[in-house]
Amino acid sequence: MEENIYVTRPYLPPKQEFDAYCNQIWESNQLTNHGPLVLQLQQKLQEYLSAEQVNLMVNGHQALEIAVKGLELTGEVITTPFTFASTTHALTLNGLTPVFCDIRATDLTMDPDKIEDLITEKTTAIMPVHVYGHPCAVEKIQAIAEKYNLKVIYDAAHTFGVRKDGRSLATYGDVSMLSFHATKLYHTIEGGALVYRDASYTRLFDAYKNFGIESEERVSYVGGNAKMNEFQAAMGLTNLPHMRQLIEERKVITQTYRRELQKVQGITGFYPERETGIEYNYAYFPIMVDPALFGRTRDDVYFALKKKNIFTRRYFWPIITDFDCYKNQYQGVSLPVAERAGQQILCLPIYNGLKLETVEQISTLIAQMSKQY
Ligand code: T4K
């Protein structure tokens, strides 16, 4: 390729639309600390997600940490090894012990049939991830949580715009975390949110994102700073009306990859066949490279594409239990499905503005590497 093709590129809205919000910042002179644009975005997202509570934060990771603190979890939390570092670090940084549950091969989310065996008297919560926006087994997970009196916090970083039976996926569990990082389908440059029903959580979430301060005279908790600022909110307000169009464009890119790659033996899992009732956001385009059928490994594909200036990503490899900072603690833990996914997964470029011609070229390069070619 003449120009570099990355796994993603942030969406930048028409600049004059962003400028109009910036003009409001110049007028208010309020740059951060719960300003009017943050409050406006909070309201708009509540409507967009049909969510009772949306609490905006500086980024998704801080939001996740605040969810863990605000729910006052202790002991062990059952989570997935097939995710971004943030999910596990949010637990470890708060003194909790992550307990890893294997994933299911169909969609790479936590295997609900393996959760109960991992529950001990120290377990206080389950933290699954809707990887690539694929919905976890939300009903089964809820039933287990109720049976054992556990909280459920979803890492819903990838799910903005995904609906299950018309309901926003971010409204499941006790709390869900959304990431609005620049690389996400919907972004506020950096940013994130907690979505929940129980309004009584707001007091602690608000305190933890603002140094534990409850009023001018009272500092009640040991908290940090995780407030979203007005420029982030301005970007979020500008981007929100474009969502429907952005998702439509990505759907066409996804359909093009699928059409081109479905004939290639050994390239699987590029959108799991799912139950009906799911509206996807097409945030990622993950494929699995089965070396036995394809004739080459995932890394062969990754490096061959890199040579052509196509920068795919191995989200998520290494899996968490193979990280240098965790591996000593998790030797002997058996996670065969996650291990295999980590070896075979490759996320192909998908972003608004990616030309369909480029999608076809990438697919052809992959097909040409196959042993059937
Ligand atoms: N939980 C899950 C499951 C997550 O996936 C994430 C974040 C989190 C929690 C935490 O949420 P945040 O605290 O981030 O809100 C990226 C993102 O930084 C990260 O947000 C995301 N997950 C993760 C899956 O991907 P990297 O290290 O791969 O990013 P980077 O800088 O290599 O960017 C990827 C490509 O995007 C680059 O090759 C080029 C392009 N790019 C990126 C940026 C930032 C641009 O063209 N322009 C840009 O400004 O982590």
Side-chain angles (χ1 to χ4, degrees):
M1 297 282 164
E2 271 173 34
E3 55 168 333
N4 289 351
I5 304 294
Y6 297 102
V7 68
T8 191
R9 298 295 272 165
Y11 170 70
L12 282 173
K15 187 154 176 301
Q16 65 277 20
E17 294 179 19
F18 183 63
D19 286 346
Y21 283 108
C22 288
N23 290 341
Q24 293 184 38
I25 301 176
W26 258 254
E27 276 161 34
S28 72
N29 211 340
Q30 180 87 30
L31 307 189
T32 185
N33 288 7
H34 331 295
L37 295 184
V38 166
L39 297 179
Q40 200 180 319
L41 180 60
Q42 203 152 282
Q43 179 66 38
K44 289 239 161 98
L45 288 176
Q46 248 159 267
E47 287 160 21
Y48 182 88
L49 298 166
S50 303
E52 287 177 41
Q53 307 294 328
V54 172
N55 201 323
L56 293 175
M57 308 269 171
V58 69
N59 60 48
H61 178 78
Q62 286 301 323
L64 209 48
E65 282 209 39
I66 286 172
V68 163
K69 287 187 221 290
L71 263 53
E72 301 177 284
L73 303 183
T74 57
E76 297 174 359
V77 176
I78 297 172
T79 187
T80 167
F82 190 75
T83 183
F84 193 56
S86 169
T87 320
T88 317
H89 289 349
L91 298 171
T92 313
L93 285 165
N94 285 285
L96 297 161
T97 304
V99 173
F100 292 101
C101 180
D102 208 356
I103 54 175
R104 45 186 187 179
T106 46
D107 63 3
L108 312 183
T109 67
M110 185 182 282
D111 187 339
D113 296 332
K114 295 189 178 146
I115 296 174
E116 283 191 84
D117 282 350
L118 300 170
I119 296 173
T120 71
E121 62 214 16
K122 292 189 193 149
T123 310
T124 54
I126 309 172
M127 191 189 275
V129 181
H130 302 296
V131 197
Y132 316 122
H134 301 162
C136 293
V138 286
E139 281 92 8
K140 279 190 179 172
I141 291 172
Q142 188 58 35
I144 295 168
E146 281 170 21
K147 182 169 165 195
Y148 294 92
N149 194 24
L150 306 175
K151 298 281 190 220
V152 180
I153 300 179
Y154 279 107
D155 180 334
H158 303 172
T159 67
F160 195 84
V162 180
R163 286 175 188 273
K164 183 174 155 44
D165 302 322
R167 173 176 166 187
S168 170
L169 192 57
T171 61
Y172 285 85
D174 292 279
V175 184
S176 285
M177 175 280 280
L178 288 168
S179 164
F180 304 146
H181 184 261
T183 54
K184 297 290 186 287
L185 160 70
Y186 172 73
H187 77 88
T188 61
I189 310 171
E190 291 264 6
L194 293 180
V195 181
Y196 49 98
R197 270 183 314 281
D198 187 343
S200 72
Y201 293 156
T202 302
R203 182 167 163 236
L204 275 181
F205 291 161
D206 281 352
Y208 279 123
K209 76 172 175 185
N210 189 28
F211 309 102
I213 297 172
E214 288 210 283
S215 70
E216 256 185 86
E217 294 91 28
R218 283 185 71 191
V219 180
S220 313
Y221 308 97
V222 181
N225 179 1
K227 301 182 299 287
M228 178 177 273
N229 69 53
E230 290 290 276
F231 288 91
Q232 291 176 286
M235 184 59 88
L237 286 162
T238 314
N239 284 342
L240 196 56
H242 295 281
M243 272 310 104
R244 186 188 292 267
Q245 174 67 20
L246 296 185
I247 291 174
E248 273 309 307
E249 283 173 26
R250 282 165 177 264
K251 186 174 180 180
V252 177
I253 293 173
T254 299
Q255 286 168 339
T256 307
Y257 270 129
R258 290 190 72 162
R259 190 191 66 224
E260 295 296 311
L261 289 172
Q262 68 193 357
K263 36 191 187 226
V264 185
Q265 225 185 352
I267 299 294
T268 53
F270 44 89
Y271 258 79
E273 296 308 328
R274 298 298 314 239
E275 71 263 43
T276 52
I278 311 291
E279 288 168 54
Y280 284 109
N281 62 4
Y282 308 98
Y284 293 86
F285 191 81
I287 59 167
M288 302 275 275
V289 182
D290 180 340
L293 291 172
F294 185 67
R296 306 276 199 98
T297 65
R298 181 275 314 276
D299 282 355
D300 291 336
V301 179
Y302 170 82
F303 286 111
L305 292 176
K306 199 171 178 179
K307 268 200 191 142
K308 303 270 184 194
N309 297 333
I310 300 159
F311 298 91
T312 60
R313 292 301 281 265
R314 290 166 288 186
Y315 296 134
F316 292 103
W317 173 85
I319 62 167
I320 304 279
T321 42
D322 289 335
F323 283 11
D324 287 349
C325 53
Y326 291 120
K327 65 182 174 199
N328 290 339
Q329 296 157 57
Y330 293 101
Q331 279 163 1
V333 175
S334 170
L335 301 161
V337 185
E339 291 281 358
R340 191 171 61 246
Q343 292 299 325
Q344 298 191 355
I345 198 77
L346 192 66
C347 285
L348 300 184
I350 183 164
Y351 51 88
N352 294 96
L354 179 64
K355 295 191 194 100
L356 294 184
E357 191 191 321
T358 308
V359 173
E360 285 165 7
Q361 285 168 339
I362 294 169
S363 305
T364 304
L365 285 168
I366 295 172
Q368 285 171 346
M369 292 183 71
S370 122
K371 68 178 176 190
Q372 55 172 155
Y373 185 73

